[in-house]
Amino acid sequence: MNKRTQQREQTRIEILTAAEHIYAVHGFIRPSTQMVAKEAGVAHGTVFLHFQSQEKLILAVIENLGQSLTSQIHESSVPGHSLNEVLQTYLTAIEANESLYTHLIMELPQLPKEAQQTVIGIQSVIAHHLDQVMSQLKKEKKIKDLSFPFLFNTWIGLIHYYLMNRRLFAPHGSVLAVYKDQLIANFITLLEVDCT
Amino acid sequence: MNKRTQQREQTRIEILTAAEHIYAVHGFIRPSTQMVAKEAGVAHGTVFLHFQSQEKLILAVIENLGQSLTSQIHESSVPGHSLNEVLQTYLTAIEANESLYTHLIMELPQLPKEAQQTVIGIQSVIAHHLDQVMSQLKKEKKIKDLSFPFLFNTWIGLIHYYLMNRRLFAPHGSVLAVYKDQLIANFITLLEVDCT
DNA sequence: TCATTTAATGACTCCTTACTCACTGACTGT
DNA sequence: ACAGTCAGTGAGTAAGGAGTCATTAAATGA
């Protein structure tokens, strides 16, 4: 690989990284391509040399995030994980990309439809792992016998609610860092069949 | 009241109603003031004759929604309501404004901070009623003894999740019309202390 | 060494959109 | 009846942002 293509690749990565930073802070919709160029330290036109359009740039960032999340979840998923461990794996993966992921789910309807596929992909991965461990626990009568979709939506809804209100729950940092364990513990208590 | 002020008031209401329709369909951010003017059947400039700015118009619509929701909830709330009835009251009120309310919660961070106050106001009303009935049930050991904030957030998170994905769950109509009863029943089952 | 290629630049065009204002004509009070 | 008022109009202005392209200069290879 010669110096020219090396440099080109380098610049592409700089723009992508700059876009990630900007989008993580300001969301996908508001920031202009000018802002991304400035953050990357390149001219405005250079952005369009590497990405056909703003939409393609946004999609590249989202695609990256999807890859990162699903691979993290897959890597740290061992067959035979407990419910606690599966939930933990999921939240740890999101925590590492909390800000960007939060903007993704909040602005999803305003983003190109390809972005929706990415989110569906992420949720499928966690749904699969959760279903695995939950149906086993249901058989053993250890958790309540409610439909999986309802339980899944309750869990995702809860997490997304905390993410969407992260600046309220954790003004200067990660909500998940603060509430992760508590959310898992409480959610499991809610599922449990207990007679105290 | 003379004909002139009557006409003026009439036009104001037409613009506000048009804005409600447009925002319910397209959200608060995307549509232009031109679009609202067209829907209302008035000239573009007329919008600014009645509302200082786009922001003020949006706030007026949101303020209206807040009033409508909180009064509905207050009216159909009787002391001594069961948990089922309290949840029902809340969802019925939202169902009547489902589309607009959904856009409000989804686009909240992009809206002026006054909008946040409105949402907090709505949630305070339901939180108050829910706390009332839940703490009683906790004393009677009929539901699990988890912190109220957690239970409240789980409930709101669940409802918001269904609202945010309404086009997925109910492509051509109201999600709540379809899932309301099921959501309440399942959520109550989740709370219950039972030993089957 | 030097002709050719190409990554990068940034001024420019085009477009959209919020908001203004000089003007029109219907209503009001006398 | 008529001078004054004011709701409504819509062409016009200014700002901002996406995407283009002629130009520059560094790298390449013969």
Side-chain angles (χ1 to χ4, degrees), chain A residues 135-147:
Chain A
S135 50
Q136 181 58 32
L137 289 170
K138 274 186 205 161
K139 270 189 209 144
E140 298 168 9
K141 305 271 182 198
K142 287 189 177 160
I143 64 170
K144 300 200 178 189
D145 189 25
L146 285 157
S147 76

Side-chain angles (χ1 to χ4, degrees), chain A residues 32 38 79 90 141 166:
Chain A
S32 62
K38 199 174 174 189
Y90 171 61
K141 305 271 182 198
R166 55 199 290 267

Side-chain angles (χ1 to χ4, degrees), chain B residues 4 24 47 50 113 115 117 123 134 139 159 165 173 179 190:
Chain B
R4 229 180 226 167
V47 173
H50 288 271
K113 42 208 165 318
Q117 270 320 108
Q123 304 214 349
M134 276 189 175
K139 271 188 208 143
I159 299 309
N165 295 285
Y179 287 95
L190 215 48

Side-chain angles (χ1 to χ4, degrees), chain A:
Chain A
M1 186 184 269
N2 68 25
K3 202 171 170 184
R4 231 179 222 167
T5 41
Q6 214 169 21
Q7 179 59 39
R8 186 183 163 85
E9 187 56 23
Q10 171 73 13
T11 306
R12 194 194 135 91
I13 290 168
E14 263 160 23
I15 294 171
L16 211 80
T17 309
E20 264 169 37
H21 284 151
I22 294 278
Y23 296 160
V25 176
H26 299 100
F28 294 93
I29 305 302
R30 280 181 182 282
S32 62
T33 48
Q34 294 263 15
M35 212 186 278
V36 172
K38 199 174 174 189
E39 170 85 11
V42 300
H44 187 206
T46 308
V47 173
F48 295 93
L49 196 75
H50 288 271
F51 301 90
Q52 281 172 48
S53 64
Q54 187 183 39
E55 179 173 314
K56 288 275 166 65
L57 172 61
I58 289 177
L59 283 177
V61 171
I62 292 175
E63 185 58 31
N64 239 22
L65 174 65
Q67 289 290 337
S68 163
L69 284 178
T70 48
S71 72
Q72 272 178 76
I73 292 173
H74 263 121
E75 274 168 27
S76 52
S77 283
V78 185
H81 259 14
S82 69
L83 177 56
N84 194 314
E85 284 164 328
V86 172
L87 299 178
Q88 189 87 37
T89 296
Y90 171 61
L91 292 194
T92 304
I94 288 182
E95 190 187 342
N97 304 274
E98 191 179 289
S99 186
L100 199 59
Y101 178 79
T102 303
H103 282 296
L104 174 60
I105 57 171
M106 294 199 66
E107 297 172 21
L108 199 55
Q110 302 167 64
L111 296 173
K113 41 207 166 320
E114 289 93 325
Q116 264 132 51
Q117 271 319 109
T118 304
V119 171
I120 290 175
I122 297 165
Q123 304 214 351
S124 301
V125 173
I126 176 65
H128 174 72
H129 290 144
L130 255 188
D131 193 12
Q132 211 89 338
V133 61
M134 276 189 175
S135 50
Q136 181 58 32
L137 289 170
K138 274 186 205 161
K139 270 189 209 144
E140 298 168 9
K141 305 271 182 198
K142 287 189 177 160
I143 64 170
K144 300 200 178 189
D145 189 25
L146 285 157
S147 76
F148 176 71
F150 171 75
L151 295 178
F152 180 73
N153 292 337
T154 305
W155 170 247
I156 299 284
L158 178 65
I159 299 310
H160 283 193
Y161 187 74
Y162 274 80
L163 288 174
M164 289 174 66
N165 294 285
R166 55 199 290 267
R167 292 284 77 107
L168 195 76
F169 288 122
H172 302 296
S174 157
V175 225
L176 291 185
V178 179
Y179 287 96
K180 189 170 44 170
D181 296 333
Q182 187 183 320
L183 286 172
I184 293 174
N186 280 340
F187 183 67
I188 290 179
T189 307
L190 215 47
L191 295 185
E192 274 170 357
V193 175
D194 86 314
C195 316
T196 30

